[in-house]
């Protein structure tokens, strides 16, 4: 049998490089930090409030990926609405990009429904934008770029 060629996989969006984080919607940040700490023994936790998204975030590094526990700080937060509708759980997956504006333009041009047509401020000093789950098989998808 022929040996499989070492084909380098690349996304159509060549700027997308890797997964940055997985967002998990939680009701009680301190309680869920304790849950994840007990489960996995995390010691290093980054915490911050993201005013723009009306959330408080606690992140743990797993390899190159962050697990981001995300808790609403306001009833109007998108996370509060998500929890109300669907309960706690995996909220979104976020991909790193080197050029968020380029990727948003490509996506829009391809007819992908965008929640954010222009980048917003996210945690970890990142620019972020969400794609609508209607365009992504129900998976809320974020692309993000370090400022
Ligand atoms: Co995110």
């Amino acid at each position: 049998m022929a040996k499989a060629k070492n084909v380098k996989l690349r996304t159509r969006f060549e700027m997308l490089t890797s997964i940055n984080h997985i967002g998990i919607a939680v009701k009680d940040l301190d309680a869920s930090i304790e849950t994840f700490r007990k489960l996995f023994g995390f010691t290093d936790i980054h915490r911050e409030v993201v005013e723009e998204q009306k959330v408080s975030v606690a992140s743990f590094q797993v390899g190159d990926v962050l697990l981001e526990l995300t808790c609403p700080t306001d009833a109007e937060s998108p996370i509060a609405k998500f929890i109300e509708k669907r309960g706690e759980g995996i909220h979104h997956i976020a991909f790193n990009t080197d050029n968020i504006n380029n990727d948003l333009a490509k996506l829009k041009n391809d007819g992908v429904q965008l929640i954010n047509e222009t980048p917003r401020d996210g945690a970890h000093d990142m620019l972020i934008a969400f794609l609508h789950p209607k365009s992504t098989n129900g998976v809320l998808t974020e692309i993000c770029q370090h400022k």
Side-chain angles (χ1 to χ4, degrees):
M1 203 158 96
K3 211 177 165 192
K5 276 185 191 163
N6 187 14
V7 179
K8 194 180 172 200
L9 272 182
R10 36 170 34 163
T11 67
R12 202 159 51 85
F13 300 94
E14 296 189 15
M15 299 297 157
L16 293 185
T17 50
S18 54
I19 291 175
N20 180 273
H21 64 271
I22 296 167
I24 299 170
V26 302
K27 286 179 186 167
D28 181 332
L29 194 59
D30 289 320
S32 52
I33 287 171
E34 262 325 290
T35 301
F36 277 75
R37 206 203 301 267
K38 274 188 201 151
L39 271 173
F40 301 115
F42 293 120
T43 49
D44 214 11
I45 302 159
H46 167 89
R47 288 185 72 148
E48 77 176 273
V49 173
V50 184
E51 295 293 345
E52 167 103 28
Q53 303 287 325
K54 300 188 176 77
V55 291
S56 185
V57 170
S59 320
F60 308 90
Q61 189 90 37
V62 183
D64 292 335
V65 178
L66 291 170
L67 283 188
E68 221 166 73
L69 305 175
T70 308
C71 184
T73 54
D74 186 292
E76 288 308 303
S77 164
I79 295 284
K81 289 175 183 166
F82 175 90
I83 291 173
E84 204 174 284
K85 268 200 216 159
R86 299 170 62 169
E88 294 181 299
I90 291 184
H91 178 255
H92 68 275
I93 181 163
F95 294 88
N96 284 308
T97 173
D98 295 332
N99 193 332
I100 195 168
N101 285 307
N102 232 20
D103 281 353
L104 284 173
K106 274 194 205 175
L107 289 161
K108 191 179 176 189
N109 194 46
D110 287 348
V112 172
Q113 219 175 308
L114 304 176
I115 293 176
N116 308 117
E117 295 208 352
T118 52
R120 321 299 289 262
D121 288 327
H124 303 279
D125 213 19
M126 306 265 271
L127 290 171
I128 67 167
F130 284 101
L131 321 185
H132 200 287
K134 277 183 187 159
S135 291
T136 53
N137 286 91
V139 179
L140 180 58
T141 302
E142 175 188 325
I143 58 176
C144 57
Q145 176 183 9
H146 283 287
K147 281 184 190 169

